[in-house]
Amino acid sequence: MKKQFIIIAITLFCCLYMPTWACKQTAERLFYATAFDSLYMEGLCYVQADSLALAQERFESCAKLKPKSAVIAYQLANLYAIQKDTINSIKQLKKAINLNPNNYYYYSELADLYTKQANFKDAAKIYEVITKKFSDKDYPLYMLSRCYYELHNYDESIATYERLEKRIGITPEMSIEKAFVMALNGNWDKIKQEFAKLHDKFPLNDDLYFREGALWQSFKPDSLQLAIDCYEKALSINPDNVDALRYLCDSYERLGN
């Protein structure tokens, strides 16, 4: 009887111990997951409350629990950006990209930071990556053209505008920007062609004629008569276009008329 009792006791011990050990492991995993989630939510709340030091403390604790969390790196990058700590913000964004190279917003935020720093060379590199990796996005193409403009790479800027036009079509605003870059590049024949296309597409847009006139007047003073023709055309469409009237008067004054 005593022997049977010992066997039963050992069996019960084994049956009880194994589940307890398994439950302990599960409990530890649940604890860390809950701790991470709690710290993350606290961090977000502190950001909303402008308690940035506390938010940073929470996100850094999250980073210790999950060192390879791209989301935490991204949140830290945003925190550093708010605090004007651009160096650490860029560092965290690069970490987020390395951990999750398929997230559009990580690249976009990094390019935006470089742009705000007037570091258009590095910004252009990131936008080039974005336009290839996320080819369905239009905005990065626009920003890439602006970066090329700031880098005085006017040919690439114009080519990028044209890539964007193929995507979204011709718009007056974008075509005027492109014409401005063409003027800096001295592409006068192309400027005429550009505005001819615009006038065909938007024949009653008086502002387009005014913008064209201002471009000729500002960048090619020997084409003042061409500018005057544009102002007069703008006023024939809209007599209340005060900008066209003002520029027309200034042009006549320059001619002594």
Side-chain angles (χ1 to χ4, degrees):
M1 183 72 178
K2 184 177 180 180
K3 184 177 180 181
Q4 289 177 333
F5 177 80
I6 293 172
I7 293 172
I8 293 169
I10 293 172
T11 303
L12 285 172
F13 175 79
C14 292
C15 290
L16 288 171
Y17 176 78
M18 292 303 291
T20 302
W21 179 83
C23 288
K24 182 175 183 294
Q25 297 300 309
T26 303
E28 286 180 350
R29 287 197 297 273
L30 288 173
F31 169 75
Y32 282 112
T34 303
F36 178 88
D37 293 342
S38 298
L39 288 167
Y40 181 71
M41 292 306 298
E42 285 180 21
L44 292 178
C45 290
Y46 281 130
V47 170
Q48 293 297 319
D50 289 328
S51 300
L52 303 184
L54 290 172
Q56 183 172 327
E57 179 187 326
R58 297 304 189 273
F59 289 138
E60 286 175 347
S61 296
C62 285
K64 291 177 182 177
L65 290 174
K66 291 187 179 181
K68 293 186 178 181
S69 171
V71 172
I72 294 304
Y74 179 67
Q75 291 295 345
L76 283 170
N78 286 336
L79 261 182
Y80 287 129
I82 293 171
Q83 298 174 84
K84 311 298 182 184
D85 187 350
T86 307
I87 293 175
N88 277 318
S89 184
I90 289 173
K91 180 180 177 181
Q92 289 296 327
L93 282 171
K94 287 182 175 179
K95 179 181 177 181
I97 289 171
N98 286 333
L99 291 170
N100 184 0
N102 295 313
N103 190 300
Y104 165 75
Y105 296 100
Y106 298 166
Y107 290 94
S108 182
E109 290 286 344
L110 181 56
D112 185 56
L113 267 182
Y114 282 135
T115 302
K116 288 177 180 176
Q117 281 189 307
N119 183 355
F120 299 108
K121 184 176 181 181
D122 285 331
K125 288 179 181 178
I126 300 299
Y127 281 123
E128 284 169 353
V129 172
I130 295 174
T131 56
K132 294 174 183 176
K133 197 173 185 68
F134 308 95
S135 56
D136 60 322
K137 305 290 185 181
D138 297 331
Y139 182 71
L141 272 174
Y142 176 76
M143 288 305 299
L144 180 57
S145 67
R146 297 297 297 271
C147 288
Y148 284 139
Y149 159 73
E150 294 290 349
L151 293 168
H152 306 291
N153 190 344
Y154 301 133
D155 286 334
E156 284 297 329
S157 180
I158 293 166
T160 308
Y161 273 121
E162 290 171 348
R163 285 172 60 192
L164 186 55
E165 283 179 340
K166 290 178 181 178
R167 294 274 297 275
I168 66 174
I170 295 173
T171 66
E173 297 78 15
M174 193 163 60
S175 292
I176 289 169
E177 288 189 17
K178 185 172 70 168
F180 176 80
V181 180
M182 287 177 174
L184 293 173
N185 216 25
N187 296 343
W188 305 112
D189 290 336
K190 287 186 177 181
I191 290 173
K192 288 181 180 179
Q193 295 170 13
E194 190 69 22
F195 277 105
K197 288 189 298 184
L198 282 171
H199 295 319
D200 285 341
K201 191 174 179 65
F202 308 99
L204 298 179
N205 190 325
D206 56 292
D207 189 60
L208 280 176
Y209 283 100
F210 163 67
R211 299 289 179 182
E212 182 183 5
L215 199 66
W216 290 111
Q217 183 175 343
S218 300
F219 289 93
K220 214 168 185 301
D222 58 342
S223 299
L224 189 56
Q225 185 57 52
L226 185 56
I228 290 172
D229 293 341
C230 290
Y231 299 142
E232 289 179 342
K233 181 64 178 178
L235 289 166
S236 71
I237 296 171
N238 178 15
D240 295 327
N241 190 324
V242 293
D243 290 323
L245 182 60
R246 181 162 55 88
Y247 273 66
L248 180 60
C249 292
D250 178 67
S251 300
Y252 282 139
E253 187 176 350
R254 293 188 185 189
L255 292 175
N257 187 351

